[in-house]
Amino acid sequence: MPVTNAESGTNVHEIADGIYRINTPVALPGDNQHFSFNQYLIVDDEPLLFHTGLRHLFPLVREAMAHVMPVERLRHVAFSHVEADECGALNEWLAVAPQAAPLCGTVAAMVSIGDIADRAPRAMADGETLTLGRHTVRWLDAPHLPHGWECGYLMEERTGTLLCGDLFTQPGDGDVALVEDDILGPSEAFRHAMDYFSHSANAPALLEKLAQTQPQTLACMHGSAWRGDGAGLLRALSAELAR
Ligand SMILES: [Fe+2]
Ligand SMILES: [Fe+2]
């Protein structure tokens, strides 16, 4: 796995055709716990980054992207919801990529991004698609799943990759970029320890909506990405939430 910064351990790995995971492990304060922050770069005619990373990680993520393509080529700075790890470095990316614009759901654009971003956002309606070149992404609104009124996801339809944000958040370094074994168990253990879910009544219907996209790869924001029957795993998560 190419490590792009020896000090931080930031690394980049292609997890689906033209889709790269940038992973930075971090030590959590206290008892030797580790966590990780991932961004996903879709390299295409109009390159798209899903999650900006924390503002203080920006130099590391930019360095990692530069190993894959020139950062000034970036066109879409996309993210699931408004939190520091999802979009904290938004304006830093807009500064280094003159043709880039924020890409988010209509709620995020209206409530936050139209104000805090240095360039106007492209607001995606639920179900709307955007062709990047070889890849096509579809925006899926997912309010309050797992948190944030403005929450949503991108499905990359060519590779069947669901950019699933905080769903299936796993603790640890996420040092293996793509796994096929169980991530539901570790992510559920983490959720029980640190409950970041809204427990909204809409969760079962939203998880079923995501399942119907039939993803083959789940691009998780924290921990390893996963390959397998994504619909089955999303329905298994829904069953766990109902327990
Ligand atoms: Fe979040
Ligand atoms: Fe996150």
Side-chain angles (χ1 to χ4, degrees):
M1 187 188 311
V3 171
T4 54
N5 187 286
E7 196 175 331
S8 68
T10 301
N11 59 88
V12 57
H13 194 279
E14 189 174 12
I15 57 126
D17 186 13
I19 303 182
Y20 293 80
R21 184 187 85 141
I22 298 168
N23 164 268
T24 301
V26 297
L28 295 178
D31 47 357
N32 227 357
Q33 288 256 39
H34 284 225
F35 196 60
S36 66
F37 294 99
N38 300 329
Q39 301 79 35
Y40 291 90
L41 174 66
I42 304 178
V43 177
D44 213 316
D45 298 338
E46 296 187 14
L48 180 147
L49 182 68
F50 193 71
H51 304 140
T52 70
L54 295 163
R55 202 155 58 107
H56 85 267
L57 293 183
F58 174 69
L60 295 170
V61 182
R62 180 176 66 175
E63 180 181 40
M65 183 187 290
H67 281 253
V68 180
M69 65 166 217
V71 297
E72 59 270 23
R73 278 196 59 216
L74 189 63
R75 292 287 296 275
H76 305 285
V77 187
F79 51 90
S80 166
H81 52 279
V82 180
E83 283 182 328
D85 55 341
E86 275 81 6
C87 64
L90 177 56
N91 286 330
E92 280 76 1
W93 286 111
L94 298 181
V96 297
Q99 295 191 84
L103 187 147
C104 57
T106 53
V107 172
M110 173 181 70
V111 173
S112 296
I113 303 306
D115 181 65
I116 65 178
D118 289 340
R119 213 167 285 146
R122 177 182 185 128
M124 298 283 281
D126 185 35
E128 185 177 346
T129 59
L130 172 67
T131 298
L132 306 175
R134 295 187 306 142
H135 300 85
T136 297
V137 290
R138 181 182 298 275
W139 179 265
L140 299 160
D141 279 344
H144 308 292
L145 179 73
H147 48 242
W149 176 30
E150 71 282 1
C151 192
Y153 300 106
L154 284 176
M155 175 69 185
E156 198 295 297
E157 301 195 323
R158 180 169 172 276
T159 60
T161 301
L162 180 63
L163 299 157
C164 67
D166 288 339
L167 297 178
F168 306 105
T169 286
Q170 308 138 56
D173 285 344
D175 52 335
V176 181
L178 182 65
V179 298
E180 297 186 352
D181 53 353
D182 178 45
I183 60 167
L184 183 61
S187 67
E188 280 300 280
F190 187 80
R191 182 174 70 80
H192 286 295
M194 188 178 280
D195 189 4
Y196 54 88
F197 264 67
S198 68
H199 303 280
S200 128
N202 295 329
L206 291 172
L207 285 165
E208 181 57 32
K209 178 172 90 169
L210 297 178
Q212 285 181 9
T213 66
Q214 301 279 347
Q216 293 147 40
T217 300
L218 297 174
C220 306
M221 180 176 194
H222 308 285
S224 300
W226 181 84
R227 185 161 57 201
D229 171 15
L233 200 70
L234 288 156
R235 290 180 180 127
L237 171 60
S238 190
E240 285 293 322
L241 291 170
R243 273 151 56 105

